[in-house]
């Protein structure tokens, strides 16, 4: 009985083991089925979405095709009317241009009429010269140049003539700045709406005009590449903006790579026009440009680009402004620290911080962010920096003037001319005599010499006497002759007036005639003492107890 019971238990155990194995197989099959079901469902969903997208694109394409066909039909229908209108306009402009050639442009014509006269004549060189001559009236020029360009028989050709002339003188590097500014006005007048993302529909210019514009752009681009190879960068900011405006206006965007446009925009991002033009260029993702600007510490430029491209949610302006403020303070502190807080380093640090604050204030005001970003602390800080800068300039000027005056006190009049206290300015400084010197060479002797004068240490010489330095006749006394002889100083009550004077004749002879005057202990010498032709007399310093 015991053996039969053991055998039955083993069979039951084996049965349970088989059940466990079947259960594991069933679980694995269930999981595999679920995975396959999910995969097929995702494929079905993806195919459905792609199918819907394709249907939407097909519908859009059909709609655009219908619109294009309708537009072409309308153009074809309007061609005769447009042709007659254009012919009438050209005839009118031709008559106006011929009449303009027949009459002389007088100087009495106002600004607008003169601009129109040059445009009617298609005189690009004369137009540029006139614009340059009226550069001080830039506001009036910008207002009148668009209407004047409309009077030209072929405005694109006029602008291209001006650009070709500019590129020619740019290669010679003569008179570039003024011509660049004038050409910029002409390009802006030809493409007043080039900054908008929606350009004109259809070809705006004839094929020959576009081909000529492409040649001009290629010449311009070659000059940029040459500058880049020589390490001189690409272009100036104003010229870069003008180049981009021409490329957009003549629809030449496909000629150059996105990398070239990105580099050009990044290099001149500080130019406010560049933020507007970047959207019209439509190269890549503007967000990448903004990211690069933020990484390179140009948060203010990033704010302008974010507003122009509509990416303010992705790049919050307030966060960018706060980051820029923090970095500007850090940069100013670093400059001062690296310069050991010297005067030059402090000046540079103050200038950097002040410029940063002004840029922030301008950015906040341009985009109406005063409610979110308070400008009062920035304005107070800017006022304090400007006041400190003005004080430094004032102190520096005062110190420089004081130093200059101290140097000028040592010079006297050796000939004619006027100066302080009636003393002329000297072209050279007389040699100093040794201290306590009591003898001069014998060549200094004179005819009819006067007795050596015995001067009081506090006697003042208010007349035309002028000594190179108070140390020339220094003696053991605390009296001073002052920085400049002829300026009133306090007199010592023990001043002893001296009753003598030296008068020199033109032949280096000494005359002993003079008039002595004494005013309250001051000694005045009647005639000027001319040092130009004689040597100074021997001077014996007095002895004092």
């Amino acid at each position: 009985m015991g053996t039969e019971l053991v055998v039955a238990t083993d069979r039951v155990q084996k049965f349970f083991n088989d059940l466990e194995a079947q259960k594991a197989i069933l679980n694995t099959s269930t999981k595999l089925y679920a995975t396959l079901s999910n995969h097929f469902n995702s494929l079905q969903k993806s195919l459905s979405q792609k199918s819907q997208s394709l249907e939407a694109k097909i519908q859009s394409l059909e709609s655009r095709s219908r619109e294009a066909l309708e537009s072409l039909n309308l153009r074809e229908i309007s061609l005769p009317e447009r042709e007659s209108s254009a012919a009438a306009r050209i005839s009118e402009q031709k008559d106006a241009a011929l009449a303009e050639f027949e009459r002389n442009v007088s100087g009495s014509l106002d600004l607008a009429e003169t601009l129109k006269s040059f445009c009617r004549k298609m005189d690009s060189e004369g137009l540029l010269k006139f614009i340059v001559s009226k550069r001080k009236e830039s506001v009036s020029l910008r207002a009148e140049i668009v209407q004047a360009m409309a009077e030209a028989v072929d405005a694109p050709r006029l602008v291209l003539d001006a650009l070709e002339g500019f590129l020619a003188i740019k290669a010679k590097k003569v008179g570039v700045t003024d011509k660049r500014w004038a050409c910029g006005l002409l390009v802006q007048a030809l493409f007043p709406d080039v900054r908008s993302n929606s350009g004109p529909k259809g070809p705006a210019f004839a094929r020959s005009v576009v081909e000529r514009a492409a040649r001009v752009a290629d010449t311009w681009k070659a000059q940029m590449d040459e500058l880049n190879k020589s390490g001189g960068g690409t272009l100036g900011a104003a010229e870069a903006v003008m180049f981009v405006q021409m490329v957009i206006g003549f629809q030449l965007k496909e000629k150059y790579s996105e990398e070239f446009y990105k580099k050009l925009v990044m290099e001149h991002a500080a130019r406010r026009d560049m933020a507007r033009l970047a959207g019209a260029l439509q190269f890549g993702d503007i967000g990448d440009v903004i990211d690069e600007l933020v990484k390179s510490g140009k948060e203010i430029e990033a704010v302008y680009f974010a507003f122009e491209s509509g990416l303010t949610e992705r790049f919050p302006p307030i966060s960018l402004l706060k980051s820029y403020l923090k970095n500007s303070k850090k940069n100013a502190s670093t400059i001062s620290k690296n310069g050991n807080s010297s005067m030059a380093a402090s000046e540079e640090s103050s200038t950097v911080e002040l410029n940063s604050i002004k840029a922030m204030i301008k950015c906040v005001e341009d985009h109406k962010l005063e409610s979110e970003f308070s400008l009062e602390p920035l304005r107070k800080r800017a006022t304090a920096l400007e006041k400190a800068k003005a004080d430094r300039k004032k102190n520096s000027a005062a110190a420089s003037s004081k130093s200059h005056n101290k140097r000028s006190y040592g010079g006297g009049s050796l000939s004619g001319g006027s100066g302080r206290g009636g003393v002329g300015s000297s072209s050279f400084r007389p040699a100093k005599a040794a201290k306590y010197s009591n003898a001069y060479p014998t060549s200094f002797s004179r005819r009819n010499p006067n007795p050596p004068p015995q001067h009081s240490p506090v006697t003042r010489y208010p007349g035309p006497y002028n000594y190179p330095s108070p140390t020339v006749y220094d003696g053991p006394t605390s009296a001073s002759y002052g920085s400049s002889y002829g300026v009133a100083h306090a007199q010592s009550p023990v001043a002893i007036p001296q009753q003598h004077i030296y008068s020199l004749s033109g032949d280096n002879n000494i005359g002993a005639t003079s008039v002595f005057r004494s005013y309250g202990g001051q000694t005045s010498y009647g005639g000027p003492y001319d040092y130009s032709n004689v040597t100074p007399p021997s001077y014996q310093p007095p002895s004092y107890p």
Side-chain angles (χ1 to χ4, degrees):
M1 287 296 291
T3 305
E4 290 179 0
L5 181 62
V6 171
V7 172
T9 304
D10 292 340
R11 291 177 63 186
V12 171
Q13 184 65 37
K14 183 179 179 182
F15 175 73
F16 277 108
N17 291 340
D18 292 340
L19 285 178
E20 289 293 335
Q22 293 295 328
K23 181 180 178 182
I25 293 172
L26 183 61
N27 289 335
T28 303
S29 299
T30 304
K31 290 179 180 179
L32 183 59
Y33 174 76
T35 303
L36 290 174
S37 298
N38 292 335
H39 178 65
F40 281 113
N41 287 336
S42 65
L43 286 177
Q44 186 176 1
K45 182 183 290 186
S46 176
L47 288 173
S48 176
Q49 290 177 351
K50 288 183 178 181
S51 176
Q52 292 176 0
S53 175
L54 284 174
E55 289 178 359
K57 288 182 179 180
I58 290 172
Q59 292 177 359
S60 175
L61 181 60
E62 290 177 352
S63 174
R64 286 161 54 188
S65 299
R66 285 195 301 269
E67 291 177 0
L69 290 174
E70 292 175 0
S71 176
L72 288 174
N73 291 331
L74 290 175
R75 284 188 181 185
E76 187 176 359
I77 294 172
S78 64
L79 274 178
E81 182 182 355
R82 291 170 61 189
E83 183 179 359
S84 60
S85 175
R89 175 63 177 164
I90 290 174
S91 177
E92 179 184 350
Q93 290 179 328
K94 178 182 176 182
D95 295 338
L98 291 175
E100 200 68 42
F101 276 110
E102 291 177 358
R103 69 167 182 168
N104 294 324
V105 179
S106 62
S108 60
L109 292 178
D110 60 2
L111 180 66
E113 286 301 320
T114 307
L115 288 172
K116 290 178 181 179
S117 174
F118 282 115
C119 290
R120 292 188 189 111
K121 294 178 181 180
M122 294 292 290
D123 185 2
S124 62
E125 185 176 355
L127 179 60
L128 288 178
K129 289 181 179 179
F130 178 75
I131 292 176
V132 169
S133 68
K134 297 293 183 180
R135 185 161 187 173
K136 293 182 179 179
E137 304 177 33
S138 60
V139 177
S140 302
L141 279 172
R142 294 179 188 278
E144 300 292 342
I145 192 66
V146 177
Q147 289 77 9
M149 289 286 290
E151 298 291 326
V153 177
D154 191 352
R157 197 190 80 180
L158 179 66
V159 173
L160 290 175
D161 288 343
L163 288 175
E164 286 179 345
F166 164 69
L167 294 177
I169 65 168
K170 185 184 175 186
K172 299 178 182 178
K173 300 180 180 179
V174 178
V176 176
T177 305
D178 291 333
K179 288 289 182 67
R180 179 192 295 121
W181 177 78
C183 287
L185 284 185
L186 295 181
V187 173
Q188 289 177 8
L190 183 62
F191 307 114
D193 299 325
V194 77
R195 297 185 182 91
S196 62
N197 293 336
S198 58
K201 296 181 179 180
F205 306 103
R207 182 179 300 173
S208 60
V209 174
V210 175
E211 289 176 354
R212 185 184 176 191
R215 290 194 298 270
V216 172
D218 288 338
T219 304
W220 215 339
K221 174 73 163 46
Q223 291 184 354
M224 292 188 219
D225 295 339
E226 185 177 353
L227 280 174
N228 198 15
K229 290 178 182 178
S230 62
T234 52
L235 296 174
E239 191 171 341
V241 168
M242 184 166 53
F243 176 83
V244 174
Q245 286 175 336
M246 194 197 76
V247 167
I248 297 173
F250 286 107
Q251 300 181 7
L252 303 174
K253 293 182 291 184
E254 305 298 329
K255 282 184 65 64
Y256 309 112
S257 65
E258 293 184 357
E259 187 64 28
F260 167 73
Y261 291 131
K262 183 178 180 180
K263 180 181 179 183
L264 194 63
V265 169
M266 285 290 299
E267 188 171 351
H268 304 287
R271 184 85 177 190
R272 297 293 171 256
D273 292 342
M274 197 60 78
R276 304 186 189 103
L277 294 170
L281 277 175
Q282 298 178 354
F283 64 95
D285 184 9
I286 299 297
D288 295 339
V289 176
I290 300 176
D291 277 329
E292 292 292 332
L293 291 173
V294 174
K295 291 177 182 177
S296 58
K298 298 179 180 179
E299 289 90 346
I300 295 295
E301 288 80 356
V303 172
Y304 281 92
F305 273 77
F307 271 99
E308 291 294 336
S309 57
L311 298 176
T312 52
E313 293 183 0
R314 180 176 170 185
F315 302 96
I318 302 302
S319 299
L320 293 176
L321 289 170
K322 290 180 179 179
S323 174
Y324 181 77
L325 178 60
K326 180 181 178 181
N327 292 336
S328 65
K329 290 181 179 179
K330 183 178 179 181
N331 292 338
S333 176
T334 302
I335 291 173
S336 179
K337 183 178 179 180
N338 292 341
N340 295 326
S341 300
S342 62
M343 180 65 71
S346 299
E347 186 72 21
E348 183 181 359
S349 171
S350 176
T351 302
V352 169
E353 185 177 358
L354 183 60
N355 291 340
S356 301
I357 290 175
K358 288 181 178 179
M360 292 185 65
I361 293 175
K362 181 71 167 59
C363 181
V364 171
E365 291 176 347
D366 287 346
H367 299 107
K368 307 294 188 295
L369 299 174
E370 291 90 338
S371 59
E372 303 177 58
F373 193 90
S374 177
L375 293 179
E376 192 61 27
L378 293 179
R379 291 195 176 103
K380 289 181 179 179
R381 179 59 178 166
T383 302
L385 289 173
E386 289 176 343
K387 184 177 182 301
K389 187 175 182 179
D391 291 342
R392 284 195 299 270
K393 285 186 177 180
K394 184 177 179 181
N395 295 336
S396 177
S400 177
S401 175
K402 184 177 179 181
S403 174
H404 176 72
N405 290 337
K406 285 183 178 180
R407 290 194 300 269
S408 65
Y409 292 157
S413 175
L414 301 181
S415 58
S418 60
R420 276 180 80 109
V423 182
S425 62
S426 171
S427 60
F428 65 93
R429 187 185 297 273
K432 292 185 179 181
K435 292 185 178 182
Y436 309 111
S437 174
N438 56 4
Y440 280 92
T442 56
S443 60
F444 290 176
S445 60
R446 322 178 190 200
R447 295 179 298 172
N448 303 323
N450 288 320
Q454 301 295 325
H455 296 284
S456 169
V458 292
T459 303
R460 185 171 70 88
Y461 296 87
Y465 276 86
N466 198 343
Y467 297 96
S469 171
T471 62
V472 174
Y473 302 109
D474 234 352
T477 173
S478 61
S480 172
Y481 290 99
S483 326
S484 177
Y485 302 100
V487 182
H489 292 273
Q491 295 294 322
S492 170
V494 297
I496 303 174
Q498 303 297 317
Q499 302 183 13
H500 67 278
I501 188 170
Y502 300 107
S503 176
L504 300 175
S505 63
D507 56 355
N508 299 345
N509 292 334
I510 304 298
T513 59
S514 64
V515 180
F516 166 77
R517 301 176 180 88
S518 178
Y519 298 94
Q522 300 183 15
T523 303
S524 174
Y525 299 90
Y529 195 99
D530 188 358
Y531 284 95
S532 60
N533 295 318
V534 297
T535 54
S538 176
Y539 180 79
Q540 301 289 340
S543 300
Y544 303 100

